[in-house]
Amino acid sequence: MSFAFTTRLPLSRHEVDRDHARRGADGFLESVRADAATRSLLLWKGKALVREAPLSTHDRIELDLRPLETVPTGDFSLYLGLSLAQDAAEPAGTPLLAVILGDEDAVAVEPDPHRWIGLRDAATATSDRDAGAFTEALAMVNWHASHAHCPRCGAATLVEDSGWTRRCPVDGSQVFPRTDPAVIVLIEDADERVLLGANAMWEQNRYSLLAGFVEPGESLEAGVIREMYEESGLVVTDPEYLGSQPWPFPASVMCGFTARLADGQNPDDVVPDGEEIIDLRWFSRDELRAELGGVILPGASSIARAMLERWLGEPIELPGETHR
Ligand SMILES: [Zn+2]
């Protein structure tokens, strides 16, 4: 069995035109705010307002996109683009604005905490448009939160371009949004076993693919080989790119690769780095299926999960998870 890998990445879905050509124009954000058709995606502490609190993990989740006249101005707002979804409530072409609320405003809009949902929980239960808009909004909000000051002189920077750049009022320098590439790697040995590791930060018995940040001045492929050696002591080769998924927790894009062991590399010579990775295990497909109730595998919103399902050749169904 095979299926399209990239269609199984919940946070890679997008159905919003980011409208790059118009968003940088002077006064554009004000015109969006004045447009009665504009709908707001409300964010509070990284969570989005949804229409109904989900009662179970199988419930669909819809963003509660509200007309601007019904919501507070918020701490700041950011133009997301034009919805492309054929949706009765918000037809294609609807301008979308992320509005970031402080505590008081958020509670005034919706006091029920269950109507504020995090992206990880919403990821597999939303439409393509909602998943993409929420991912875009959260990634940008996280970038703003950590770039309030000029990297050259330290002055407080000002938001421009409908929320897409910041400028230093002292030296005029512009700062653009950044994202941090990380590689995540499915290593297979000659017996078609996959390597999974347990991270020191995780709950006991949780295993996933090995991953790490790409360093400045390094290709993704070199990052694969270096990170896998650092975390496992294994020399891998032939990294092949599979696909990517934004992961705004807080600012990553996960780049998925496969790799194989270098010639002469014994799979038994695994050495967990002991700091980040505390255990490493090889699983055959049958062993992984047999362990589904025992080991805890990566969540349904992660690229690691999609990579494991691709390798296994079938979806992994775990209790208590939403499936698209
Ligand atoms: Zn400056």
Side-chain angles (χ1 to χ4, degrees), residues 295-312:
V295 299
I296 303 166
L297 289 176
S301 59
S302 67
I303 191 173
R305 176 67 163 272
M307 291 169 70
L308 275 175
E309 291 179 340
R310 176 184 177 276
W311 173 80
L312 199 62

Side-chain angles (χ1 to χ4, degrees), residues 202-266:
W202 297 340
E203 67 214 284
Q204 207 177 2
N205 222 27
R206 176 178 284 281
Y207 284 81
S208 187
L209 300 174
L210 302 185
F213 284 107
V214 179
E215 292 189 342
E218 183 175 58
S219 69
L220 299 180
E221 291 80 359
V224 166
I225 291 167
R226 177 186 53 75
E227 276 288 339
M228 296 306 100
Y229 183 73
E230 286 177 10
E231 293 188 356
S232 72
L234 297 174
V235 179
V236 302
T237 187
D238 297 341
E240 284 190 19
Y241 178 67
L242 287 179
S244 68
Q245 170 166 265
W247 196 244
F249 307 108
S252 298
V253 56
M254 304 299 297
C255 304
F257 282 83
T258 58
R260 66 176 183 87
L261 295 183
D263 293 341
Q265 173 65 62
N266 184 339

Side-chain angles (χ1 to χ4, degrees), residues 150 152-155 168 170-173:
C150 174
R152 295 187 190 178
C153 75
C168 173
V170 177
D171 56 39
S173 62

Side-chain angles (χ1 to χ4, degrees), residues 27-272:
F28 182 72
L29 191 64
E30 289 68 30
S31 72
V32 170
R33 292 203 69 98
D35 186 343
T38 298
R39 292 294 176 268
S40 58
L41 190 171
L42 299 178
L43 280 176
W44 172 42
K45 292 181 176 172
K47 296 183 173 183
L49 183 67
V50 301
R51 284 191 207 281
E52 286 177 50
L55 297 175
S56 87
T57 53
H58 298 288
D59 283 358
R60 302 294 299 167
I61 292 175
E62 279 182 67
L63 295 179
D64 191 353
L65 301 172
R66 295 197 171 179
L68 278 182
E69 66 264 25
T70 67
V71 302
T73 309
D75 291 352
F76 84 104
S77 54
L78 160 79
Y79 179 59
L80 297 174
L82 302 169
S83 174
L84 298 176
Q86 297 299 335
D87 183 304
E90 300 97 21
T94 299
L96 299 178
L97 198 67
V99 177
I100 291 75
L101 301 180
D103 292 351
E104 260 180 50
D105 282 343
V107 171
V109 167
E110 181 48 67
D112 179 1
H114 300 105
R115 295 239 340 246
W116 297 92
I117 307 267
L119 180 59
R120 269 181 232 246
D121 294 324
T124 57
T126 56
S127 68
D128 292 356
R129 198 272 315 279
D130 284 3
F134 192 175
T135 304
E136 177 186 352
L138 182 62
M140 285 301 293
V141 166
N142 289 345
W143 175 73
H144 281 288
S146 57
H147 288 77
H149 293 89
C150 174
R152 295 187 190 178
C153 75
T157 50
L158 304 171
V159 179
E160 289 190 347
D161 293 337
S162 305
W164 284 87
T165 60
R166 299 184 74 103
R167 189 182 294 276
C168 173
V170 177
D171 56 39
S173 62
Q174 227 179 347
V175 189
F176 292 90
R178 301 295 160 93
T179 191
D180 299 332
V183 289
I184 180 160
V185 188
L186 187 143
I187 304 172
E188 199 179 52
D189 74 357
D191 296 325
E192 294 191 12
R193 295 182 303 171
V194 68
L195 184 66
L196 298 182
N199 192 300
M201 305 281 286
W202 297 340
E203 67 214 284
Q204 207 177 2
N205 222 27
R206 176 178 284 281
Y207 284 81
S208 187
L209 300 174
L210 302 185
F213 284 107
V214 179
E215 292 189 342
E218 183 175 58
S219 69
L220 299 180
E221 291 80 359
V224 166
I225 291 167
R226 177 186 53 75
E227 276 288 339
M228 296 306 100
Y229 183 73
E230 286 177 10
E231 293 188 356
S232 72
L234 297 174
V235 179
V236 302
T237 187
D238 297 341
E240 284 190 19
Y241 178 67
L242 287 179
S244 68
Q245 170 166 265
W247 196 244
F249 307 108
S252 298
V253 56
M254 304 299 297
C255 304
F257 282 83
T258 58
R260 66 176 183 87
L261 295 183
D263 293 341
Q265 173 65 62
N266 184 339
D268 295 332
D269 290 345
V270 287
V271 185

